[in-house]
Amino acid sequence: MRLTVIGSAGSVAGPDNPASCYVLEADDAGRTWRIVMDLGSGAVGPLQSLTDPARLDGVLISHGHPDHCADLASLSVWCRYGPSAGEELPAIPLWGPVGIDARVRELEGATDDAGLAPFDWAPLEPGETRALGPFAVTAFAAWHPVPALAYRIEGPAERGGRAVLTFTGDTDLSDEVVEAARDADLLLAEAGWAHREVNPPGIHLTGDQAGLLASRASARRLVVTHVASWVDPAGTLEQARRHAPSAALAAPGVRFDV
Ligand SMILES: [Zn+2]
Ligand SMILES: [Zn+2]
């Protein structure tokens, strides 16, 4: 699998960084499969330089906050009116926690399901595993103020065999999220809090907690993401490296082999 960061900004897009969006690719059965994890604000712009967004094989949304799903409306418009609109491409599987379909309607300002038409929407429950091409996607409950999922994705490893990538979405540290990341080859963990000692519970991780999560789960590699645009990412990375010395920082265009 190959993970490409489209946007890694937390909470709002930055001046040169869209909000949360990652492409996961794998070669299988003679073709390349591409799924997207989150479509935060601004993501569909740079996503076009990697692939025709209308040809994605699937979209996983972690939760309904705009920095994770606002560009679902942009993708819908791209599919309905963009360059491949006349090709009658198959609907794109859209998975996420309950309520993402309503979120698309809200973003579209629509009272009907026109904006949902390019998608094959199916909510995911924590604990559920589903196949999507060569990927096996398992949902875990995240600890966040709205229904939110962390994803554990097993797929073809770049060096042969199978590999596991875990994406936390937005979450505080919890036993469920540690299980989601257990022995993962790559853990893509949010660090949405700035470097404060005390934060309200049930919202985000600090860099320190992202490192702790990797350590407790015995994840092989930590990539820290979702640092707010107004926070110095070097400080967040330094915190994470106290527990996971080889931790790296997600940034637009950076690719990780898994
Ligand atoms: Zn967020
Ligand atoms: Zn959130």
Side-chain angles (χ1 to χ4, degrees):
M1 296 187 281
R2 301 176 295 277
L3 175 74
T4 303
V5 180
I6 302 296
S8 61
S11 302
V12 297
D16 50 11
N17 191 2
S20 184
C21 183
Y22 316 89
V23 172
L24 189 59
E25 295 175 313
D27 301 323
D28 186 68
R31 54 164 290 202
T32 298
W33 297 76
R34 282 189 191 89
I35 62 174
V36 147
M37 301 186 296
D38 278 350
L39 273 168
S41 34
V44 165
L47 180 59
Q48 293 163 42
S49 61
L50 193 73
T51 188
D52 174 356
R55 297 174 193 279
L56 288 167
D57 295 299
V59 176
L60 306 178
I61 297 295
S62 64
H63 65 294
H65 282 155
D67 56 323
H68 299 261
C69 75
D71 263 25
L72 275 172
S74 307
L75 178 55
S76 173
V77 169
W78 178 273
C79 291
R80 286 183 288 154
Y81 306 108
S84 40
E87 294 184 41
E88 296 187 3
L89 294 171
I92 303 170
L94 169 62
W95 301 350
V98 289
I100 295 300
D101 52 340
R103 206 77 183 93
V104 174
R105 286 188 208 99
E106 289 166 3
L107 290 161
E108 291 265 336
T111 52
D112 59 19
D113 282 342
L116 271 170
F119 303 118
D120 181 8
W121 159 244
L124 265 173
E125 295 286 339
E128 201 175 341
T129 299
R130 264 189 226 155
L132 185 51
F135 305 106
V137 178
T138 304
F140 287 75
W143 186 16
H144 202 53
V146 297
L149 298 174
Y151 290 107
R152 180 182 177 90
I153 302 172
E154 191 192 303
E158 279 301 279
R159 293 182 179 180
R162 302 282 284 177
V164 169
L165 177 145
T166 296
F167 171 48
T168 62
D170 280 3
T171 188
D172 199 343
L173 193 53
S174 71
D175 291 345
E176 287 90 341
V177 175
V178 172
E179 276 318 299
R182 179 71 62 201
D183 299 322
D185 296 283
L186 191 150
L187 167 61
L188 179 63
E190 72 113 305
W193 284 132
H195 324 302
R196 290 193 296 263
E197 291 297 319
V198 179
N199 293 297
I203 304 178
H204 287 302
L205 302 171
T206 59
D208 188 75
Q209 288 173 311
L212 265 180
L213 169 60
S215 169
R216 285 187 192 166
S218 303
R220 289 180 184 83
R221 188 171 193 191
L222 170 65
V223 176
V224 174
T225 192
H226 197 283
V227 179
S229 303
W230 55 88
V231 172
D232 173 17
T236 302
L237 186 61
E238 187 186 320
Q239 282 192 335
R241 283 181 170 169
R242 289 179 201 162
H243 310 282
S246 65
L249 201 59
V254 173
R255 198 183 97 164
F256 299 92
D257 287 350
V258 187

